[in-house]
């Protein structure tokens, strides 16, 4: 399979982030190649996307624990082509984060043949450069998941 058919992320210049005080810790950590998620400082509920208060107890107390970077595919799609980039193949996915029970992240799976992506597939985080020096968390097939297929 040629590299042109591997799932990739959007070109760096296309992706821009909107940040506010609620989401800034996520983006600052990503810039340091760390994956963090908000966790209620009172009841311990993980929440994504970040919100100013906990959906369970309405507390505004929040911690930002660093995660291992492991994930599993919860849901995905395969997108062939993007406006002006017909050769691009994207695999947008919702991933579950085992270090943050109940939290799911919308992302892209990259560096894999799209037909090999499966629900439950184990992934590991990587970071893709985007505009203004920021990094976007994306996921690749975990090395040990590759070994299991052989």
């Amino acid at each position: 399979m040629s590299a042109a058919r591997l799932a990739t992320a959007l070109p760096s210049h296309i992706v821009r982030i909107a940040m506010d005080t609620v989401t800034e810790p996520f983006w600052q950590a990503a810039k340091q190649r760390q994956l963090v998620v908000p966790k209620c400082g009172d009841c311990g509920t993980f929440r994504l996307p970040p919100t100013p208060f906990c959906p369970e107890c309405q507390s505004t107390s929040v911690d930002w624990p660093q995660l291992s970077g492991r994930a599993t595919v919860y849901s995905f799609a395969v997108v062939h082509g993007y406006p002006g980039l017909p050769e691009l193949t994207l695999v947008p996915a919702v991933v579950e984060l085992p270090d943050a029970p109940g939290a799911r992240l919308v992302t892209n799976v990259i560096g894999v043949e799209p037909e090999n992506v499966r629900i439950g597939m184990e992934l590991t985080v990587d970071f893709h450069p985007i505009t203004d020096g920021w990094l976007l968390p994306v996921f690749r097939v975990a090395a040990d998941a590759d070994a299991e297929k052989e």
Side-chain angles (χ1 to χ4, degrees):
M1 171 83 24
S2 70
R5 280 281 295 131
L6 291 180
T8 188
L10 286 171
S12 300
H13 70 280
I14 292 177
V15 183
R16 296 188 185 285
I17 62 168
M19 183 173 39
D20 59 26
T21 57
V22 174
T23 62
E24 184 177 10
F26 177 87
W27 293 112
Q28 291 293 346
K31 202 172 197 179
Q32 302 302 316
R33 297 185 170 274
Q34 298 174 356
L35 183 63
V36 300
V37 297
K39 178 181 180 180
C40 179
D42 288 329
C43 76
T45 298
F46 288 97
R47 57 188 192 255
L48 278 176
T51 57
F53 60 88
C54 175
E56 292 297 317
C57 72
Q58 286 67 55
S59 171
T60 57
S61 175
V62 64
D63 298 318
W64 288 87
Q66 182 176 338
L67 305 183
S68 67
R70 305 280 295 175
T72 57
V73 176
Y74 177 80
S75 179
F76 72 97
V78 176
V79 178
H80 297 285
Y82 185 83
L85 302 167
E87 298 301 315
L88 196 67
T89 301
L90 303 170
V91 178
V94 176
V95 299
E96 292 187 312
L97 305 166
D99 302 339
R104 294 185 183 134
L105 181 65
V106 178
T107 186
N108 284 303
V109 179
I110 65 169
V112 63
E113 295 174 3
E115 57 272 12
N116 291 337
V117 177
R118 300 283 182 264
I119 298 209
M121 176 179 270
E122 295 201 12
L123 307 170
T124 188
V125 74
D126 196 356
F127 294 89
H128 178 71
I130 56 175
T131 55
D132 301 324
W134 294 101
L135 295 175
L136 179 69
V138 294
F139 286 80
R140 296 181 180 275
V141 176
D144 51 349
D146 281 339
E148 290 173 11
K149 289 176 16 182
E150 296 173 359

